[in-house]
Amino acid sequence: MYVAVKGGEKAILNSHKLLAEERRGDPSVPEVSLRQIDQQLGLAVDRVMTEGSLYDRGLVALAIKQARGDLVEAVFLLRAYRTTLPRLAVSEPIDTAAMAVRRRVSATYKDLPGGQVLGPTYDYTHRLLDFALAAETDAPPEALEPAEEPVAHPMLRVCDVLGGEDLLEPETPAGDPASGEPEPFDLTREPLSFPAGRDQRLQNLARGDEGFLLALGYSTQRGFGGNHPFAGEIRLGEVSVEIVPEELGFAIDIGEITVTECQMVNQFAGSASRPAQFTRGYGLTFGHCERKAMAMALVDRALRCRELDETARYPAQDEEFVLYHSDNVEASGFVQHLKLPHYVDFQAELELVRRLRADHGDARRKEAAE
Amino acid sequence: MTAPVRTAPTPLLRVSGLTKRFGPVTACRSISFDLHPGEVIGIVGESGSGKSTLLSCLSARQRPDAGTVEYATRSRGLVDVYALSEPERRLLARTEWGIVHQNPRDGLRMDVSAGGNVGERLMAVGDRHYGHIRAKAEDWLRKVELDLGRIDDLPRTFSGGMQQRLQIARNLVTGPRLVFMDEPTGGLDVSVQARLLDLLRGLVRELGVAAVVVTHDLAVVRLLADRLMVMWRGEVVESGLTDQVLDDPHHPYTQLLVSSVLQV
Amino acid sequence: MTSGIGAAEPMQTTRAAIGDSDPDGADRYNYAYLDEQTKRMIRRCLLKALAVPGYQVPFGSREMPLPYGWGTGGIQVTASIIGPDDVLKVIDQGADDTTNAVSIRRFFARVAAVETTEATAEATVIQTRHRIPEQPLREGQILVYQVPQPEPLRKLEPREGETRKMHAYAEYGLMHVRLYEDIARFGRIATTYSYPVMVNGRHVMSPTPIPKFDNPKMGGNPAVQLFGAGREKRIYAVPPYTDVRSLDFEDHPFAIQRWDECCALCGAGDSYLDEVILDDRGGRMFVCSDTDHCGTRRARGHTGRLGADAATAAAAKPRGAAR
């Protein structure tokens, strides 16, 4: 008759078997391949690469398949794998000015060298369900006419235009010997510390949950934060990754990655130490994660309030609040740990509540007797 | 009004050449004064005159750009408060000083009972006897004329005037020597203001505590302050005994201030 | 890389993952999962933590294959100190056979090839969630706590910047405000678990969500007590024979929970009891939360009110070793 939660081992094994069955679904339906996920669910792959902070489309496709399309779970799988990888080298900063651009839009200039390059975007699609896709005829997409002129390369960055006039604050990268700053912080090796430097913050935000950053970024636009942002530039394309092996002493190209970069340009009226100037909010993601990159840039700018002598009053400006709660692997784990048994603590509370109720009853009876 | 005490060998607070800037704006320009034990000094001026900035510089909450703030501690005599280490400053702030904020929400723990709010400073300095803490809290609630039956209620269930009295009790329970008050009657309606002022005056006199009171309300300083400093655009334009300044203002701004009040 | 997966199928991954379908996968990971550099980093933090008892040392917590909040801190500490000669016991809520304890024990059996046990006396390393074993620990044993929230002041002050200052300056008045509030409202200190302690007369420390019943076991304990908070990235420790005091008031001294009942299985009257609901008519019984303690007592012939029943049940399903 005494059962309680026993036989954990067998239960766990059986649960794993059930899970495998659920994951596969109806066996008469063909199994989804990793290549299909990579090619046809590419934006899901991009998001998991970004938040999982590992650029490997194949592993990500595997994680998404294993997680049955639960992207937060896939991020978790990827992170747990990533942490065991040796760190062979630290790359040089990527140069987005040299990006092979596939998309570049700016909201601050009507036209500029290189022009507006729309690229592949849902922006101007009408969100009508396309029932042709449901037919699964696998008709080839309409042929694309080649452009009259090739996309400019390299393509001038809007921020460099503004920076040239000194209207936009300069960006000094951490670890740059010229700036005399220390090596950039590595969030995967060291814990966050406050006040957080911009390197810590950007790493945290880049890994942060898209939904969380989206909501925070949105809140700054609705008045819970004093930003007046302009989307200076959003660009998508391929950049080279270079490392400098110690034995060589010069940079070698180890491959290309796709990134989305967003530079938000914000008004700034000036402070004691600086004249009025436009300031930046920065967003960068692996793959094509435009919504995330923009939200990240808004939140980055909001979190610079202390450095710019602005009053911090809203959630998006509160660095402890934002940086401690942005990581969906941490958040998901801790929210769901409530599923674990807590009966020892609950027993302690039960005992207390019973005693307090008894005290209350005694007091009532005493009152009545008097 | 009693005349300012001049017999003490050293002042309790000595402010010299205090300047604080925000960008192009100078909030306080080269302010100097002494405050003696048991003395109450009023700082008046309109909003934006720099009086609140001055108060936060004095109470070690905002480092001035130039000048010094020295305080005569019980153990070490006059020390530059900004030369103290942070823990020393924090200790000072919760033992020898009190700060009464304009908005009680800034000075009270709104999710801690009234008794807990008063008892916190006692516990912070090491009192570990519940009965004793409780008795002290009750004593202080009585002193600020709060109903003892409300001792276990949360401050958010209190009216503005009650919250302000609770804040005063919380500050005075450890017997500070110096209290900083920022618009202590701001946001209260007139009858409540009068009662609070009366209470404050009684307590300040009874305890012999020194105070710096920042306000835009001349009635407050007339009732509480021995001496008065008038601030205008970051500078002290006039100072002296309260009655003297108010009855015979010299600076045009003070004259305007006094006459505008009289007209109301 | 942008071309995505190459033409070769199945896709090449550098290493296989640990999974039930891959019994040899463990060989592809370093001993005890973490790489040696990470373990050294954690051991340095542990030494610092032991040198300053109760102080929370920030550490570069790694992502583990278990979710945050499920023992990632404890697992990293255990992984950093465990060796092939160790004998590991894992408990959750005092029991060896709750699902999470089983899961963690399986993890270490696989990645560290370590011997496991359910017997408190036999273990060299005991990883725990929410309990301290009833049987007194001895010198040489290490108790590793899983910590969800290392900061005892967090509920009173949400800001890390501020709580670190409060610890640095030993400003602990606020902690007593919480206890004051309990007495004012309930007539007694109503904190039943995560009951804050003062370690070595200097640092206020969260004992993790153990019931306050277990607090007295922390002080003067011959074993090393290590605490790992993975998500919050903190490690702290209580060295052997260290003074650990539960905070209280002179006129409201600390007291532990007591039950009117004894364990229904082994008759113990001095152990922490779990309440088990027997039916929907209010029938319930109380049993030891520490399953090893209860089993050991029964093996020595102690029985409680329902002990005979249970003994039969136990005989039908023997409590085997974990591996």
Side-chain angles (χ1 to χ4, degrees), chain A residues 247-298:
Chain A
E247 58 273 31
L248 290 183
F250 55 85
I252 56 166
D253 189 332
I254 57 163
E256 253 182 5
I257 60 171
T258 304
V259 296
T260 307
E261 183 186 54
C262 172
Q263 289 269 12
M264 283 286 177
V265 176
N266 295 264
Q267 282 173 21
F268 174 60
S271 72
S273 49
R274 353 178 22 164
Q277 202 176 31
F278 288 108
T279 55
R280 300 169 194 248
Y282 188 74
L284 184 83
T285 71
F286 285 153
H288 191 184
C289 300
E290 206 162 298
R291 189 192 300 122
K292 162 75 181 272
M294 294 179 75
M296 174 177 168
L298 289 175

Side-chain angles (χ1 to χ4, degrees), chain A residues 1-13 16 33-35 38-39 55-59 61-62 66 76 79-86 187-192 194 207 238 254-258 318-321 324 327 329-352 354-356 359, chain C residues 1-7 9 11 13-15 20 29 33 35 37-38 41 58-70 92-95 97-100 102-103 106 129-131 148 158-161 186 188-190 192-193 209-211 231-234 257-259 265 272-276 278 284-287 289 291 306 309 317 322:
Chain A
M1 68 186 271
Y2 172 49
V3 275
V5 190
K6 299 276 164 186
E9 180 126 23
K10 194 158 184 212
I12 289 175
L13 287 177
H16 290 178
S33 78
L34 300 191
R35 293 194 69 200
D38 173 38
Q39 293 297 312
Y55 198 101
D56 187 323
R57 301 191 72 85
L59 280 178
L62 172 59
Q66 189 179 330
F76 180 14
R79 291 264 195 95
Y81 182 76
R82 181 196 191 281
T83 191
T84 67
L85 297 176
L187 194 57
T188 66
R189 304 274 143 169
E190 296 162 67
L192 267 179
F194 291 98
R207 287 155 60 95
E238 281 67 46
I254 57 163
E256 253 182 5
I257 60 171
T258 304
D318 182 333
E319 70 172 2
E320 279 203 26
F321 177 78
Y324 267 140
D327 193 291
V329 178
E330 289 175 11
S332 160
F334 201 54
V335 165
Q336 298 200 60
H337 107 285
L338 292 174
K339 289 183 279 196
L340 290 178
H342 282 83
Y343 44 76
V344 164
D345 300 342
F346 186 69
Q347 182 61 43
E349 293 287 271
L350 258 182
E351 189 257 357
L352 175 74
R354 282 192 182 123
R355 188 167 300 192
L356 292 177
D359 288 355
Chain C
M1 279 192 224
T2 49
S3 57
I5 302 163
E9 290 261 7
M11 200 190 49
T13 56
T14 44
R15 294 181 294 175
D20 289 334
Y29 284 87
Y33 186 78
D35 59 281
Q37 255 190 327
T38 299
M41 176 271 292
F59 82 110
S61 176
R62 301 292 192 253
E63 261 113 356
M64 298 301 284
L66 270 82
Y68 282 117
W70 298 53
D92 186 343
Q93 315 290 305
D97 52 2
T98 46
T99 43
N100 201 43
V102 170
S103 163
R106 277 164 48 89
R129 178 170 172 267
H130 294 197
R131 275 310 310 277
R159 281 169 203 285
E160 176 72 10
F186 306 120
R188 68 180 79 237
I189 295 175
T192 54
Y193 61 94
I210 59 170
R231 188 178 43 81
E232 298 281 343
K233 303 170 181 60
R234 296 289 184 274
Q257 293 105 330
R258 299 266 176 226
W259 283 260
L265 301 179
Y272 191 86
L273 299 178
D274 280 338
E275 186 170 335
V276 179
L278 297 177
R284 54 173 57 92
M285 67 173 189
F286 290 85
V287 295
S289 119
T291 47
L306 302 169
D309 261 5
K317 205 180 96 184

